Amino acid sequence: MDEEHYQEIDRQRARMENLNGQLEEAREQLHEAIRAAFPETAGGAPQRGVLAEVTRRSGLSREYVAQIRDGKAGS
């Protein structure tokens, strides 16, 4: 009986580690998409309204989006 419990713990831990990996990958991809939305990250001129729109669509704070844009947030 104990071995069944231990195996279930092993399965759930592995599942959680897999989900954490997927979450980290999704976070990195979101940061890449946010950086790409700003023309200035590709050498273009900044455009008004981009920060507000990216903030709205990402669901993140304005300050955090600016940190991502400026390369100050971890990716």
Side-chain angles (χ1 to χ4, degrees):
M1 181 150 135
D2 287 340
E3 187 58 32
E4 290 176 27
H5 292 131
Y6 300 149
Q7 289 175 355
E8 181 62 17
I9 290 168
D10 290 342
R11 279 192 296 275
Q12 294 306 322
R13 186 197 72 238
R15 179 174 172 249
M16 188 175 73
E17 289 173 357
N18 181 48
L19 291 171
N20 282 335
Q22 289 178 18
L23 178 61
E24 181 60 24
E25 182 180 342
R27 187 183 73 80
E28 289 173 7
Q29 290 175 354
L30 175 60
H31 283 209
E32 288 174 18
I34 288 171
R35 282 190 293 275
F38 290 94
E40 59 267 36
T41 62
Q47 292 181 352
R48 290 182 55 87
V50 174
L51 179 59
E53 186 64 15
V54 171
T55 297
R56 184 182 72 78
R57 289 179 181 254
S58 70
L60 301 172
S61 73
R62 183 178 180 90
E63 294 77 15
Y64 192 56
V65 168
Q67 287 178 353
I68 295 168
R69 176 199 61 202
D70 297 340
K72 296 179 180 176
S75 58

